[in-house]
CSV table of all heavy atoms in Angstrom, one decimal:
chain,number,residue,atom,x,y,z
Z,1,LEU,N,-145.9,-111.0,93.8
Z,1,LEU,CA,-147.4,-110.6,94.0
Z,1,LEU,C,-147.5,-109.2,94.1
Z,1,LEU,O,-148.6,-108.7,93.6
Z,1,LEU,CB,-147.7,-111.2,95.3
Z,1,LEU,CG,-149.3,-111.0,95.8
Z,1,LEU,CD1,-150.2,-111.5,94.7
Z,1,LEU,CD2,-149.5,-111.5,97.2
Z,2,ALA,N,-146.7,-108.5,94.7
Z,2,ALA,CA,-146.8,-106.9,94.8
Z,2,ALA,C,-146.9,-106.3,93.4
Z,2,ALA,O,-147.7,-105.5,93.1
Z,2,ALA,CB,-145.7,-106.4,95.7
Z,3,ASP,N,-145.9,-106.7,92.6
Z,3,ASP,CA,-145.8,-106.1,91.3
Z,3,ASP,C,-147.0,-106.4,90.4
Z,3,ASP,O,-147.5,-105.6,89.8
Z,3,ASP,CB,-144.6,-106.8,90.6
Z,3,ASP,CG,-143.8,-105.7,89.7
Z,3,ASP,OD1,-144.1,-104.4,89.8
Z,3,ASP,OD2,-143.1,-106.0,89.0
Z,4,TRP,N,-147.6,-107.7,90.6
Z,4,TRP,CA,-148.7,-108.1,89.9
Z,4,TRP,C,-150.0,-107.2,90.3
Z,4,TRP,O,-150.7,-106.6,89.6
Z,4,TRP,CB,-149.0,-109.4,90.1
Z,4,TRP,CG,-150.0,-110.0,89.1
Z,4,TRP,CD1,-150.8,-109.5,88.2
Z,4,TRP,CD2,-150.1,-111.4,88.8
Z,4,TRP,NE1,-151.5,-110.4,87.3
Z,4,TRP,CE2,-151.0,-111.6,87.7
Z,4,TRP,CE3,-149.5,-112.6,89.3
Z,4,TRP,CZ2,-151.5,-112.9,87.2
Z,4,TRP,CZ3,-149.9,-113.9,88.9
Z,4,TRP,CH2,-150.9,-113.9,87.9
Z,5,LEU,N,-150.2,-107.1,91.6
Z,5,LEU,CA,-151.3,-106.3,92.2
Z,5,LEU,C,-151.1,-104.7,91.8
Z,5,LEU,O,-152.1,-104.1,91.5
Z,5,LEU,CB,-151.4,-106.5,93.7
Z,5,LEU,CG,-151.8,-107.9,94.3
Z,5,LEU,CD1,-151.6,-107.9,95.7
Z,5,LEU,CD2,-153.2,-108.2,93.8
Z,6,ILE,N,-149.9,-104.2,91.9
Z,6,ILE,CA,-149.7,-102.9,91.5
Z,6,ILE,C,-150.1,-102.7,90.1
Z,6,ILE,O,-150.7,-101.6,89.7
Z,6,ILE,CB,-148.3,-102.5,91.8
Z,6,ILE,CG1,-147.9,-102.4,93.3
Z,6,ILE,CG2,-148.0,-101.1,91.3
Z,6,ILE,CD1,-146.5,-102.2,93.6
Z,7,SER,N,-149.8,-103.6,89.2
Z,7,SER,CA,-150.0,-103.5,87.8
Z,7,SER,C,-151.5,-103.4,87.6
Z,7,SER,O,-152.0,-103.0,86.5
Z,7,SER,CB,-149.4,-104.6,86.9
Z,7,SER,OG,-148.0,-104.6,87.1
Z,8,MET,N,-152.3,-104.2,88.5
Z,8,MET,CA,-153.8,-104.2,88.4
Z,8,MET,C,-154.4,-102.8,89.0
Z,8,MET,O,-155.5,-102.8,88.8
Z,8,MET,CB,-154.2,-105.3,89.1
Z,8,MET,CG,-153.9,-106.7,88.6
Z,8,MET,SD,-154.4,-108.1,89.7
Z,8,MET,CE,-156.1,-107.8,89.8
Z,9,GLY,N,-153.5,-102.0,89.5
Z,9,GLY,CA,-154.0,-100.8,90.0
Z,9,GLY,C,-154.2,-100.7,91.4
Z,9,GLY,O,-154.9,-99.7,92.0
Z,10,HIS,N,-153.9,-101.8,92.2
Z,10,HIS,CA,-154.1,-101.8,93.7
Z,10,HIS,C,-152.8,-101.3,94.4
Z,10,HIS,O,-151.7,-101.1,93.9
Z,10,HIS,CB,-154.3,-103.3,94.0
Z,10,HIS,CG,-155.5,-103.9,93.6
Z,10,HIS,ND1,-156.7,-103.4,93.8
Z,10,HIS,CD2,-155.7,-105.0,92.7
Z,10,HIS,CE1,-157.6,-104.1,93.0
Z,10,HIS,NE2,-157.0,-105.0,92.4
Z,11,ASP,N,-153.1,-100.8,95.7
Z,11,ASP,CA,-151.9,-100.2,96.5
Z,11,ASP,C,-151.4,-101.4,97.3
Z,11,ASP,O,-152.0,-101.9,98.3
Z,11,ASP,CB,-152.6,-99.2,97.4
Z,11,ASP,CG,-151.5,-98.6,98.3
Z,11,ASP,OD1,-150.3,-98.9,98.2
Z,11,ASP,OD2,-151.8,-97.7,99.0
Z,12,ALA,N,-150.4,-101.9,96.8
Z,12,ALA,CA,-149.7,-103.1,97.4
Z,12,ALA,C,-148.2,-102.8,97.7
Z,12,ALA,O,-147.6,-102.2,97.0
Z,12,ALA,CB,-149.8,-104.4,96.7
Z,13,LYS,N,-147.8,-103.2,98.8
Z,13,LYS,CA,-146.3,-103.0,99.2
Z,13,LYS,C,-145.6,-104.3,99.7
Z,13,LYS,O,-146.2,-105.0,100.4
Z,13,LYS,CB,-146.3,-102.0,100.3
Z,13,LYS,CG,-146.8,-100.6,99.9
Z,13,LYS,CD,-146.8,-99.6,100.9
Z,13,LYS,CE,-147.1,-98.2,100.4
Z,13,LYS,NZ,-148.5,-98.1,99.8
Z,14,VAL,N,-144.3,-104.4,99.4
Z,14,VAL,CA,-143.6,-105.5,99.9
Z,14,VAL,C,-143.1,-105.1,101.3
Z,14,VAL,O,-142.7,-103.9,101.6
Z,14,VAL,CB,-142.2,-105.9,99.2
Z,14,VAL,CG1,-141.4,-106.9,99.8
Z,14,VAL,CG2,-142.8,-106.2,97.7
Z,15,VAL,N,-143.4,-106.0,102.3
Z,15,VAL,CA,-142.9,-105.6,103.7
Z,15,VAL,C,-141.8,-106.5,104.1
Z,15,VAL,O,-141.7,-107.7,103.8
Z,15,VAL,CB,-144.1,-105.8,104.7
Z,15,VAL,CG1,-143.7,-105.5,106.1
Z,15,VAL,CG2,-145.3,-105.2,104.2
Z,16,LEU,N,-140.7,-106.0,104.6
Z,16,LEU,CA,-139.5,-106.5,105.2
Z,16,LEU,C,-139.6,-106.5,106.8
Z,16,LEU,O,-139.8,-105.5,107.3
Z,16,LEU,CB,-138.3,-105.9,104.6
Z,16,LEU,CG,-138.1,-105.7,103.3
Z,16,LEU,CD1,-136.9,-104.9,102.9
Z,16,LEU,CD2,-138.2,-107.2,102.6
Z,17,GLY,N,-139.3,-107.7,107.2
Z,17,GLY,CA,-139.3,-107.6,108.9
Z,17,GLY,C,-139.0,-109.1,109.3
Z,17,GLY,O,-138.1,-109.8,108.8
Z,18,LYS,N,-139.7,-109.4,110.4
Z,18,LYS,CA,-139.4,-110.7,111.1
Z,18,LYS,C,-140.8,-111.4,111.2
Z,18,LYS,O,-141.8,-110.8,111.6
Z,18,LYS,CB,-138.7,-110.6,112.4
Z,18,LYS,CG,-137.2,-110.1,112.2
Z,18,LYS,CD,-136.6,-110.1,113.5
Z,18,LYS,CE,-135.1,-109.8,113.4
Z,18,LYS,NZ,-134.7,-108.5,112.7
Z,19,TYR,N,-140.7,-112.8,111.1
Z,19,TYR,CA,-141.9,-113.5,111.4
Z,19,TYR,C,-141.5,-114.6,112.5
Z,19,TYR,O,-140.5,-115.4,112.1
Z,19,TYR,CB,-142.5,-114.2,110.2
Z,19,TYR,CG,-143.7,-115.1,110.6
Z,19,TYR,CD1,-144.8,-114.7,111.1
Z,19,TYR,CD2,-143.5,-116.5,110.3
Z,19,TYR,CE1,-145.9,-115.6,111.5
Z,19,TYR,CE2,-144.5,-117.4,110.6
Z,19,TYR,CZ,-145.7,-116.9,111.2
Z,19,TYR,OH,-146.7,-117.7,111.5
Z,20,ARG,N,-142.0,-114.5,113.6
Z,20,ARG,CA,-141.4,-115.5,114.6
Z,20,ARG,C,-140.0,-115.4,114.9
Z,20,ARG,O,-139.3,-116.4,115.1
Z,20,ARG,CB,-142.0,-116.9,114.4
Z,20,ARG,CG,-143.6,-117.0,114.4
Z,20,ARG,CD,-144.1,-118.3,114.2
Z,20,ARG,NE,-145.5,-118.5,114.3
Z,20,ARG,CZ,-146.3,-119.6,114.1
Z,20,ARG,NH1,-145.7,-120.7,113.8
Z,20,ARG,NH2,-147.5,-119.5,114.1
Z,21,GLY,N,-139.5,-114.1,114.7
Z,21,GLY,CA,-138.1,-113.9,115.1
Z,21,GLY,C,-137.0,-114.2,113.9
Z,21,GLY,O,-135.9,-114.0,114.1
Z,22,ARG,N,-137.5,-114.6,112.9
Z,22,ARG,CA,-136.7,-114.8,111.7
Z,22,ARG,C,-137.1,-113.8,110.5
Z,22,ARG,O,-138.3,-113.4,110.3
Z,22,ARG,CB,-136.8,-116.2,111.2
Z,22,ARG,CG,-136.5,-117.3,112.3
Z,22,ARG,CD,-136.6,-118.7,111.6
Z,22,ARG,NE,-135.4,-118.8,110.7
Z,22,ARG,CZ,-135.2,-120.0,110.0
Z,22,ARG,NH1,-136.0,-121.0,110.3
Z,22,ARG,NH2,-134.2,-120.1,109.2
Z,23,GLY,N,-136.0,-113.4,109.7
Z,23,GLY,CA,-136.1,-112.5,108.6
Z,23,GLY,C,-137.2,-113.0,107.7
Z,23,GLY,O,-137.1,-114.2,107.4
Z,24,HIS,N,-138.0,-112.1,107.2
Z,24,HIS,CA,-139.2,-112.6,106.3
Z,24,HIS,C,-139.5,-111.5,105.5
Z,24,HIS,O,-139.3,-110.3,105.7
Z,24,HIS,CB,-140.2,-113.1,107.2
Z,24,HIS,CG,-141.2,-114.0,106.4
Z,24,HIS,ND1,-140.9,-114.9,105.5
Z,24,HIS,CD2,-142.7,-113.7,106.5
Z,24,HIS,CE1,-142.0,-115.4,105.0
Z,24,HIS,NE2,-143.1,-114.8,105.5
Z,25,ALA,N,-140.4,-111.7,104.3
Z,25,ALA,CA,-141.0,-110.7,103.6
Z,25,ALA,C,-142.4,-111.3,103.2
Z,25,ALA,O,-142.7,-112.3,102.9
Z,25,ALA,CB,-140.2,-110.5,102.2
Z,26,TRP,N,-143.2,-110.2,103.2
Z,26,TRP,CA,-144.6,-110.5,102.9
Z,26,TRP,C,-145.2,-109.3,102.1
Z,26,TRP,O,-144.5,-108.3,101.8
Z,26,TRP,CB,-145.4,-110.8,104.2
Z,26,TRP,CG,-145.5,-109.9,105.2
Z,26,TRP,CD1,-146.4,-108.9,105.4
Z,26,TRP,CD2,-144.6,-109.7,106.3
Z,26,TRP,NE1,-146.2,-108.1,106.6
Z,26,TRP,CE2,-145.1,-108.7,107.1
Z,26,TRP,CE3,-143.3,-110.2,106.6
Z,26,TRP,CZ2,-144.3,-108.1,108.2
Z,26,TRP,CZ3,-142.5,-109.9,107.6
Z,26,TRP,CH2,-143.0,-108.8,108.4
Z,27,VAL,N,-146.5,-109.3,102.0
Z,27,VAL,CA,-147.2,-108.2,101.1
Z,27,VAL,C,-148.4,-107.6,102.0
Z,27,VAL,O,-149.0,-108.4,102.5
Z,27,VAL,CB,-147.7,-108.7,99.8
Z,27,VAL,CG1,-148.7,-107.6,99.2
Z,27,VAL,CG2,-146.6,-109.0,98.9
Z,28,ILE,N,-148.5,-106.3,102.0
Z,28,ILE,CA,-149.6,-105.6,102.6
Z,28,ILE,C,-150.4,-105.0,101.5
Z,28,ILE,O,-149.8,-104.4,100.6
Z,28,ILE,CB,-149.1,-104.6,103.7
Z,28,ILE,CG1,-150.3,-104.1,104.5
Z,28,ILE,CG2,-148.4,-103.4,103.0
Z,28,ILE,CD1,-150.7,-105.2,105.6
Z,29,LEU,N,-151.7,-105.3,101.5
Z,29,LEU,CA,-152.6,-104.8,100.6
Z,29,LEU,C,-153.6,-103.7,101.2
Z,29,LEU,O,-154.2,-104.1,102.1
Z,29,LEU,CB,-153.3,-105.9,99.9
Z,29,LEU,CG,-154.5,-105.5,98.9
Z,29,LEU,CD1,-153.9,-104.8,97.7
Z,29,LEU,CD2,-155.3,-106.6,98.5
Z,30,PHE,N,-153.7,-102.5,100.6
Z,30,PHE,CA,-154.5,-101.6,101.1
Z,30,PHE,C,-155.7,-101.6,100.1
Z,30,PHE,O,-155.6,-101.2,99.0
Z,30,PHE,CB,-153.9,-100.2,101.1
Z,30,PHE,CG,-152.7,-100.0,102.1
Z,30,PHE,CD1,-151.4,-100.4,101.6
Z,30,PHE,CD2,-152.8,-99.8,103.4
Z,30,PHE,CE1,-150.3,-100.2,102.4
Z,30,PHE,CE2,-151.7,-99.6,104.2
Z,30,PHE,CZ,-150.3,-99.9,103.8
Z,31,TYR,N,-157.0,-102.1,100.6
Z,31,TYR,CA,-158.0,-102.2,99.8
Z,31,TYR,C,-159.4,-101.8,100.5
Z,31,TYR,O,-159.5,-102.5,101.6
Z,31,TYR,CB,-158.1,-103.6,99.3
Z,31,TYR,CG,-159.2,-103.9,98.2
Z,31,TYR,CD1,-159.0,-103.5,97.0
Z,31,TYR,CD2,-160.2,-104.8,98.6
Z,31,TYR,CE1,-160.0,-103.9,96.0
Z,31,TYR,CE2,-161.2,-105.1,97.7
Z,31,TYR,CZ,-161.0,-104.6,96.4
Z,31,TYR,OH,-162.1,-105.0,95.5
Z,32,ASN,N,-160.2,-101.1,100.0
Z,32,ASN,CA,-161.4,-100.7,100.6
Z,32,ASN,C,-161.3,-100.3,102.1
Z,32,ASN,O,-162.0,-100.7,103.0
Z,32,ASN,CB,-162.5,-101.9,100.6
Z,32,ASN,CG,-163.0,-102.2,99.3
Z,32,ASN,OD1,-163.0,-101.3,98.3
Z,32,ASN,ND2,-163.6,-103.4,99.0
Z,33,ASN,N,-160.2,-99.4,102.3
Z,33,ASN,CA,-160.0,-98.7,103.5
Z,33,ASN,C,-159.6,-99.8,104.5
Z,33,ASN,O,-159.8,-99.6,105.8
Z,33,ASN,CB,-161.1,-97.9,103.9
Z,33,ASN,CG,-161.5,-96.8,103.2
Z,33,ASN,OD1,-160.6,-96.0,102.6
Z,33,ASN,ND2,-162.7,-96.5,102.8
Z,34,GLN,N,-159.2,-100.9,104.1
Z,34,GLN,CA,-158.6,-101.9,105.1
Z,34,GLN,C,-157.2,-102.3,104.8
Z,34,GLN,O,-156.8,-102.1,103.6
Z,34,GLN,CB,-159.7,-103.3,105.0
Z,34,GLN,CG,-161.0,-103.0,105.4
Z,34,GLN,CD,-161.4,-103.0,106.9
Z,34,GLN,OE1,-160.3,-103.0,107.6
Z,34,GLN,NE2,-162.6,-103.2,107.2
Z,35,GLU,N,-156.6,-102.9,105.7
Z,35,GLU,CA,-155.1,-103.4,105.4
Z,35,GLU,C,-155.2,-105.1,105.5
Z,35,GLU,O,-155.5,-105.6,106.6
Z,35,GLU,CB,-154.2,-102.9,106.6
Z,35,GLU,CG,-154.2,-101.3,106.5
Z,35,GLU,CD,-153.5,-100.8,107.7
Z,35,GLU,OE1,-153.1,-101.6,108.5
Z,35,GLU,OE2,-153.5,-99.5,107.8
Z,36,PHE,N,-154.7,-105.6,104.3
Z,36,PHE,CA,-154.8,-107.1,104.3
Z,36,PHE,C,-153.3,-107.6,104.3
Z,36,PHE,O,-152.5,-107.1,103.5
Z,36,PHE,CB,-155.5,-107.5,103.3
Z,36,PHE,CG,-157.0,-107.1,103.2
Z,36,PHE,CD1,-157.4,-106.0,102.6
Z,36,PHE,CD2,-157.9,-108.0,103.8
Z,36,PHE,CE1,-158.7,-105.6,102.7
Z,36,PHE,CE2,-159.2,-107.6,103.9
Z,36,PHE,CZ,-159.7,-106.4,103.3
Z,37,LEU,N,-152.9,-108.5,105.2
Z,37,LEU,CA,-151.6,-109.1,105.1
Z,37,LEU,C,-151.7,-110.5,104.4
Z,37,LEU,O,-152.4,-111.2,104.7
Z,37,LEU,CB,-151.2,-109.4,106.6
Z,37,LEU,CG,-149.7,-109.8,106.9
Z,37,LEU,CD1,-149.3,-109.2,108.3
Z,37,LEU,CD2,-149.4,-111.2,106.6
Z,38,ILE,N,-150.7,-110.5,103.5
Z,38,ILE,CA,-150.8,-111.7,102.4
Z,38,ILE,C,-149.5,-112.4,102.7
Z,38,ILE,O,-148.4,-111.8,102.5
Z,38,ILE,CB,-151.0,-111.3,101.1
Z,38,ILE,CG1,-152.2,-110.4,100.9
Z,38,ILE,CG2,-151.0,-112.5,100.3
Z,38,ILE,CD1,-152.4,-109.9,99.5
Z,39,GLU,N,-149.5,-113.5,103.2
Z,39,GLU,CA,-148.4,-114.4,103.4
Z,39,GLU,C,-148.3,-115.1,102.1
Z,39,GLU,O,-148.8,-116.1,101.7
Z,39,GLU,CB,-148.7,-115.5,104.5
Z,39,GLU,CG,-147.5,-116.6,104.6
Z,39,GLU,CD,-146.1,-116.0,104.7
Z,39,GLU,OE1,-145.8,-115.2,105.7
Z,39,GLU,OE2,-145.4,-116.1,103.7
């Protein structure tokens, strides 16, 4: 998803961390001065 959005010209990043205590990865999208979390 991040690679696709970046190719479209959007500011997207892969995030590494934890979700409910377990290792996880998701995408954060910076769009229209807002931050959107994409599961």
Side-chain angles (χ1 to χ4, degrees):
L1 179 63
D3 218 10
W4 198 343
L5 289 173
I6 293 171
S7 296
M8 294 171 63
H10 298 298
D11 185 1
K13 296 176 175 63
V14 176
V15 184
L16 305 175
K18 291 182 173 60
Y19 176 65
R20 294 182 178 177
R22 301 186 65 178
H24 195 46
W26 60 96
V27 167
I28 193 74
L29 172 65
F30 301 88
Y31 184 72
N32 285 345
N33 296 317
Q34 301 274 15
E35 301 168 3
F36 298 91
L37 191 154
I38 309 175
E39 175 49 69

